[in-house]
């Protein structure tokens, strides 16, 4: 089988510098959805027809299994497929897809390809508002006679609601033979791929039609309004599949998954969370409202409270994060660790049962188990040019408002008094302080305003 994805159209109505097919839907370029569906059919050749200026598209998507075909200028869908013809593996079936129709389901395509063994198979759909689409014209017996483009249609033909989705499949040899005979004798002076319907009729090749499960499978994106509509459909479907697999969502209309979200049983996700990249939530994880998680793994029973922002981080089982926590790349929390409000961690391991509950910055650090990091603690890991490490060993207690000037080590069981600025290693099991001794000056008076 061959698959040809048409993606040379300009997408003027997107009013964007980004090529249309690269606009993201559920976190992936539109055409990436089409490529992934195509791959699941395991074609021998996977051709992408791209347009003038489409080098950006090529650079963004290039992969060893893609055959790139430039169509310049763009003279219609028939012309686009003509450019791909020399690259098609002989024999078998060829399936034509559109790069801006992202949600077609693999089983719909399989049904279409199956129907095209010895036929021209067209994916059609009944639309309440068919304006702009090619209409499926049938005879009295219901057999397909032709596809007429909106701009070429008579008033009676415009009244037809069954439309061509553009997705078709047919035997490769027939396609290649017919492409050479297409003309542009029509209202738009384009080479219409749909003219092969007449050729199939003349050659007595059966013409069959297949319908998708839902209209949304064949909706194309021409504007940002349509892009937003499809985004909601994609998100809704994803939310439903999460719930079917046992996830509890506070509101399936208020979750956005822009990548892959893998959940164990009894996960609960509150409203307005955004998941990007690959996120894994193990059994019974709870995610509070308005959290953002990107490329993260959260262990069983852990809780991420409201307004937390987590990126490239590993959260151990039964850990508690947030509200208002920020875990930056390279953060690893061991089992039962706590990270509270307004705490930022970067490239830091926090050991089992250790806590940083309030207002802290811990970066480039390795923190042992059962450590308490007091409010306002800061690792001074950066001298303006280089980054340095902080090591805090098991059972240490870091008093509030401490600065750890890295590189520095706090020994096992050590205590740092509040307000310490630690510039040398703190020995184990010892209280270390760097404060000036507290004094009270009897008789001291506040300055007074001088008389003029
Ligand atoms: C085409 C069909 C129409 C169908 C409609 C569904 C033809 C003649 N018409 O309409 O029956 O109802 O799709 O959306 O086939 N493209 C290229 N190169 C070109 C022209 C188009 O690669 O020269 C690509 C576009 O990027 C897009 C797809 O083909 O992915 C469809 O193009 P578009 O202009 O949107 O469709 P129409 O030709 O108007
Ligand atoms: Ca067109």
């Amino acid at each position: 089988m061959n698959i040809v994805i048409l993606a040379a159209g300009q997408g003027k109505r997107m009013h964007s510098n980004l090529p249309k097919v690269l606009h993201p839907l559920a976190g992936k370029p539109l055409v990436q959805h089409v490529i992934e569906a195509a791959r699941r059919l395991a074609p021998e050749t996977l051709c992408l027809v791209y347009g003038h200026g489409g080098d950006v598209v090529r650079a963004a998507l290039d992969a060893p299994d893609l055959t790139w075909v430039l169509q310049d200028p763009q003279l219609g869908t028939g012309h686009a497929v003509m450019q791909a013809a020399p690259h098609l593996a002989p024999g078998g079936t060829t399936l034509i897809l559109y790069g801006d129709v992202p949600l077609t389901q693999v089983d719909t395509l399989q049904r279409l390809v199956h129907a095209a063994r010895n036929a021209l198979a067209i994916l059609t759909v009944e639309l309440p508002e068919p304006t702009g689409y090619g209409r499926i014209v049938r005879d009295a017996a219901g057999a397909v006679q032709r596809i007429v483009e909106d701009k070429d249609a008579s008033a009676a033909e415009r009244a037809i609601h069954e439309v061509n989705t553009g997705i078709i499949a047919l035997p490769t040899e027939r396609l290649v033979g017919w492409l050479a005979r297409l003309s542009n004798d029509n209202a738009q002076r384009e080479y219409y791929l749909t003219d092969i319907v007449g050729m199939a009729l003349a050659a007595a090749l059966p013409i069959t039609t297949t319908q998708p499960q839902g209209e949304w499978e064949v909706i194309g994106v021409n504007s940002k309004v349509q892009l937003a509509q499809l985004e909601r459909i994609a998100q809704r479907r994803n939310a439903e599949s999460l719930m079917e697999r046992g996830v509890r969502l506070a509101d399936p209309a208020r979750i956005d998954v822009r990548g892959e979200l893998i959940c164990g049983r009894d996960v609960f996700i509150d409203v307005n969370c955004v998941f990007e990249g690959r996120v894994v939530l193990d059994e019974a994880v709870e995610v509070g409202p308005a959290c953002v998680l990107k490329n993260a793994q959260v262990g069983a029973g852990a809780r991420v409270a409201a307004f937390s922002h987590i990126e490239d981080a590993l959260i151990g089982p039964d850990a508690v994060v947030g509200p208002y926590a920020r875990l930056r790349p390279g953060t690893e929390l061991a089992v039962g660790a706590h990270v509270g409000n307004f705490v930022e961690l970067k490239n830091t391991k926090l050991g089992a049962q250790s806590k940083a509950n309030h207002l802290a910055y811990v970066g480039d650090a390795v923190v042992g188990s059962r450590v308490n990091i007091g409010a306002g603690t800061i690792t001074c890991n950066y001298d303006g040019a280089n980054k340095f490490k902080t090591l805090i060993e098991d059972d240490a207690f870091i008093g509030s408002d401490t600065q750890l000037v890295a590189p520095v080590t706090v020994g096992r069981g050590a205590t740092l008094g509040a307000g310490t600025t630690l510039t040398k290693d703190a020995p184990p099991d010892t209280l270390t302080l760097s404060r000036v001794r507290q004094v009270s000056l009897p008789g001291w008076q506040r300055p007074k305003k001088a008389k003029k």
Side-chain angles (χ1 to χ4, degrees):
M1 186 185 32
N2 299 292
I3 298 182
V4 180
I5 300 176
L6 304 188
Q10 274 197 313
K12 273 193 207 131
R13 280 187 283 155
M14 297 299 279
H15 299 290
S16 173
N17 294 330
L18 188 67
K20 174 163 79 171
V21 292
L22 291 187
H23 280 264
L25 180 87
K28 271 191 297 211
L30 287 171
V31 65
Q32 184 75 35
H33 291 264
V34 184
I35 292 170
E36 284 172 14
R39 281 191 180 128
R40 302 223 351 236
L41 300 173
E44 201 171 330
T45 316
L46 180 46
C47 271
L48 252 142
V49 181
Y50 71 110
H52 176 69
D55 296 341
V56 195
V57 177
R58 202 172 161 161
L61 302 167
D62 213 1
D65 63 337
L66 301 180
T67 303
W68 291 90
V69 179
L70 180 65
Q71 185 202 14
D72 183 21
Q74 288 104 49
L75 304 176
T77 51
H79 181 256
V81 181
M82 274 181 219
Q83 314 310 304
H87 302 276
L88 301 179
T93 303
T94 295
L95 169 66
I96 314 287
L97 301 174
Y98 285 0
D100 53 4
V101 178
L103 295 181
T104 320
Q105 299 299 290
V106 173
D107 71 272
T108 300
L109 297 177
Q110 270 161 346
R111 281 191 286 124
L112 191 74
V113 169
H114 188 77
R117 288 261 168 85
N118 187 36
L120 167 59
I122 308 169
L123 191 66
T124 74
V125 67
E126 292 270 345
L127 292 183
E129 183 35 83
T131 306
Y133 287 89
R135 310 295 206 286
I136 306 293
V137 182
R138 294 177 185 268
D139 66 12
V144 175
Q145 292 303 295
R146 63 190 193 113
I147 297 174
V148 61
E149 291 307 295
D150 195 68
K151 290 194 174 110
D152 301 298
S154 65
E157 288 165 337
R158 284 209 183 99
I160 299 171
H161 286 264
E162 188 186 9
V163 307
N164 173 31
T165 64
I167 297 173
I168 63 166
L170 72 159
T172 304
E173 304 304 353
R174 304 279 196 156
L175 172 67
V176 172
W178 293 337
L179 285 172
R181 290 165 40 198
L182 292 180
S183 84
N184 63 349
D185 184 14
N186 52 55
Q188 304 184 87
R189 298 258 144 239
E190 282 183 12
Y191 293 88
Y192 289 168
L193 181 61
T194 45
D195 286 349
I196 64 173
V197 172
M199 300 180 191
L201 265 185
L205 182 74
I207 302 173
T208 69
T209 58
T210 298
Q211 281 72 43
Q213 300 290 322
E215 206 181 285
W216 51 269
E217 282 192 59
V218 294
I219 299 175
V221 173
N222 292 302
S223 68
K224 284 178 175 159
V225 172
Q226 286 170 329
L227 183 63
Q229 286 165 345
L230 269 196
E231 178 75 24
R232 285 303 100 210
I233 291 169
Q235 293 299 347
R236 181 76 199 195
R237 284 182 47 77
N238 191 64
E240 277 165 15
S241 102
L242 285 170
M243 291 186 293
E244 271 154 21
R245 282 175 282 140
V247 176
R248 186 160 67 90
L249 298 178
D251 182 354
R254 283 183 289 168
I255 173 173
D256 287 80
V257 180
R258 300 176 190 154
E260 198 186 359
L261 174 60
I262 298 152
C263 294
R265 292 167 80 88
D266 294 315
V267 163
F268 171 67
I269 300 171
D270 213 325
V271 298
N272 293 337
C273 293
V274 177
F275 299 90
E276 294 180 55
R278 186 173 192 274
V279 176
V280 180
L281 306 180
D282 290 343
E283 205 163 298
V285 163
E286 283 183 27
V287 182
C291 292
V292 177
L293 285 88
K294 179 173 185 178
N295 298 323
Q297 172 137 17
V298 184
R303 193 152 52 84
V304 177
F307 299 102
S308 294
H309 191 284
I310 294 162
E311 179 173 359
D312 292 318
L314 289 174
I315 297 175
D318 299 318
V320 179
V321 175
Y324 302 102
R326 176 153 187 227
L327 307 186
R328 289 171 53 202
T331 297
E332 288 180 30
L333 307 186
V335 54
H338 286 205
V339 176
N341 38 230
F342 309 108
V343 173
E344 172 182 348
L345 262 56
K346 186 215 74 170
N347 189 29
T348 285
K349 289 192 164 96
L350 192 58
Q353 316 300 333
S354 288
K355 292 175 183 157
N357 271 335
H358 332 267
L359 299 154
Y361 169 65
V362 186
D364 301 312
V366 177
V367 179
S369 301
R370 299 170 303 279
V371 169
N372 187 77
I373 295 179
T377 296
I378 286 170
T379 54
C380 309
N381 59 327
Y382 184 50
D383 63 5
N386 299 296
K387 303 267 171 75
F388 300 96
K389 288 230 148 237
T390 299
L391 195 67
I392 303 175
E393 294 179 352
D394 293 347
D395 300 297
F397 180 95
I398 312 297
S400 296
D401 192 26
T402 292
Q403 297 97 52
L404 300 143
V405 182
V408 75
T409 296
V410 178
R412 182 182 285 264
T415 300
L416 302 188
T420 293
T421 300
L422 193 73
T423 52
K424 289 176 288 196
D425 292 352
D429 300 315
T430 307
L431 172 66
T432 298
L433 299 163
S434 74
R435 288 180 225 146
V436 280
R437 201 169 291 276
Q438 181 170 326
V439 291
S440 299
L441 302 178
W444 177 86
Q445 300 214 319
R446 286 188 187 172
K448 292 200 174 76
K449 229 183 190 147
K451 274 190 187 131
K452 282 185 195 147

